[in-house]
Amino acid sequence: MDLDLNLLETFDALLQEGSVSRAAKRVGLSTPAMSHALARLRATLGDEVLVRAGRDMVPTPRALALKEDVHTALARVRALLRPPEALDLRALTREFRVNATDHVVTVLGAALDTLARREAPGVLLRFLPTATDDAALLRDGSVDLAVGIYADLPPELRRRVLLTDRFVSVLRRGHPAAKGRLDLDTFLALDHLQVAPRGRPGGDLDDLLAARGKRRRVTRAVPYFLSALQLVSESDAVLTISERMARRLAGTFGLVVLETPLPLRPYALSLLWHPRQDSSPEHSWLRQLFVRAAELAAPGLHPGAKTRTGPSPSSRRGRRAVAAAELA
């Protein structure tokens, strides 16, 4: 049975007023229009709803039994359709789940903490590792935000560049190769540590080397940036990593930051969310929290930063394309 929800309001007015004319005034209808609505209600319910008793009208037993339920249901519908109240961040108590690497948490964590504690002390930010199915997790609501650099994404996802970064290489302080400029031959002669947050080998550096017919010797691959920085501080290996993170922690780990002897392109980390969250005041605040934290902790954008990952060129033709792009 299809029921016009407008009938719910007229039903409630008739039961509350016990009069067609008074019910009409209550909802802003003419008396004939209310009479027509009463006729529709009678046909829909198979009940007279109101019957005449002298000069008044009284509800039938069924209408009387429905009176409170109808009034409550109408109040709930109105509450659902009412514009959201102003967000009270001080009273907000909820958990937000964010997929991000420890790179993001290290660079933005302190700024996020300062802003969130000041504005919404009852909010819990739960960070989870990035996953190969971040898009699916955003779609089904398992996470609220994801931060990273991705390949192709479902077209419905919202994306905003949050911060940019570039690659540098780090060696432990006192390393023989840490004096002066790091040249390509020395770079390739070293053992390499690699950060692979999603567990995949390769990356921009390996692609660029392959385009030149060269390769590096990766001896350790770890999923976390902090672990890689600790390992390189205790070995003779080299690590190519985010400049923002390297410079932030070089003193802590006793590292020397050097230019990587290859023209690696800067990259952008994007903030991702599902469009169902667009109109949520709480989620809007969360997104702006990350944007403001990035403006404080990672200001400035690197020109030409790439916003998407790409496949490694495995064929000779792919390597030629990369080399041509490098020279263009």
Side-chain angles (χ1 to χ4, degrees):
M1 176 182 66
D2 293 328
L3 177 63
D4 183 351
L5 288 179
N6 289 325
L7 285 180
L8 192 64
E9 187 170 6
T10 58
F11 193 6
D12 181 61
L14 287 165
L15 294 177
Q16 297 299 320
E17 298 293 341
S19 163
V20 172
S21 59
R22 290 196 301 271
K25 290 179 181 179
R26 180 172 179 145
V27 298
L29 293 177
S30 66
T31 299
M34 182 55 77
S35 295
H36 178 68
L38 176 57
R40 290 178 61 200
L41 277 169
R42 286 169 170 165
T44 299
L45 297 174
D47 185 83
E48 286 297 299
V49 182
L50 291 176
V51 295
R52 188 161 297 283
R55 299 182 62 181
D56 297 322
M57 299 191 77
V58 296
T60 63
R62 186 180 181 198
L64 196 59
L66 292 173
K67 182 176 180 179
E68 290 304 319
D69 288 341
V70 169
H71 192 67
T72 299
L74 183 61
R76 288 177 178 172
V77 170
R78 286 172 175 159
L80 287 173
L81 300 179
R82 187 180 302 125
E85 297 179 0
L87 178 62
D88 183 359
L89 288 173
R90 301 294 301 179
L92 182 61
T93 55
R94 64 163 291 182
E95 173 182 304
F96 291 105
R97 297 163 69 88
V98 182
N99 277 18
T101 63
D102 61 328
H103 168 209
V104 174
V105 178
T106 300
V107 174
L108 300 185
L112 285 168
D113 187 66
T114 298
L115 293 172
R117 286 183 181 277
R118 184 174 66 208
E119 298 173 11
V123 160
L124 166 61
L125 293 179
R126 185 178 298 281
F127 287 95
L128 304 167
T130 55
T132 55
D133 58 347
D134 277 356
L137 295 173
L138 289 167
R139 181 181 286 161
D140 68 21
S142 297
V143 298
D144 298 286
L145 288 176
V147 181
I149 181 168
Y150 300 87
D152 293 330
L153 289 166
E156 76 269 17
L157 288 186
R158 302 285 195 256
R159 179 202 296 253
R160 173 173 180 163
V161 170
L162 187 62
L163 62 93
T164 61
D165 209 334
R166 74 182 191 102
F167 293 104
V168 293
S169 294
V170 295
L171 295 165
R172 65 168 176 82
R173 191 175 296 142
H175 193 293
K179 300 175 181 178
R181 179 176 172 270
L182 184 64
D183 61 66
L184 184 57
D185 288 339
T186 302
F187 181 72
L188 293 179
L190 296 170
D191 289 341
H192 286 250
L193 295 173
Q194 181 188 25
V195 183
R198 299 183 181 95
R200 296 170 179 166
D204 288 359
L205 176 56
D206 299 283
D207 292 346
L208 198 51
L209 286 170
R212 295 175 173 221
K214 299 179 182 295
R215 60 182 298 178
R216 59 176 174 161
R217 184 172 64 252
V218 176
T219 59
R220 299 289 184 272
V222 298
Y224 304 115
F225 291 80
L226 283 169
S227 298
L229 288 170
Q230 181 179 0
L231 282 171
V232 78
S233 74
E234 299 172 351
S235 73
D236 285 334
V238 64
L239 170 66
T240 300
I241 196 172
S242 144
E243 181 180 26
R244 294 192 189 276
M245 192 163 186
R247 297 200 182 279
R248 181 179 292 263
L249 295 174
T252 301
F253 286 102
L255 300 172
V256 176
V257 180
L258 300 168
E259 290 294 323
T260 303
L262 286 165
L264 289 165
R265 184 178 173 187
Y267 60 94
L269 297 181
S270 294
L271 190 67
L272 302 181
W273 69 96
H274 195 275
R276 80 162 74 83
Q277 304 285 10
D278 281 348
S279 60
S280 165
E282 296 176 4
H283 202 277
S284 178
W285 169 80
L286 177 68
R287 299 193 301 269
Q288 287 304 311
L289 181 77
F290 273 79
V291 170
R292 288 182 289 134
E295 290 171 350
L296 289 171
L301 297 177
H302 295 76
K306 69 172 191 174
T307 58
R308 299 175 187 271
T309 59
S312 299
S314 55
S315 66
R316 184 177 302 173
R317 181 179 179 182
R319 290 195 294 271
R320 286 200 303 267
V322 171
E326 179 190 342
L327 296 173

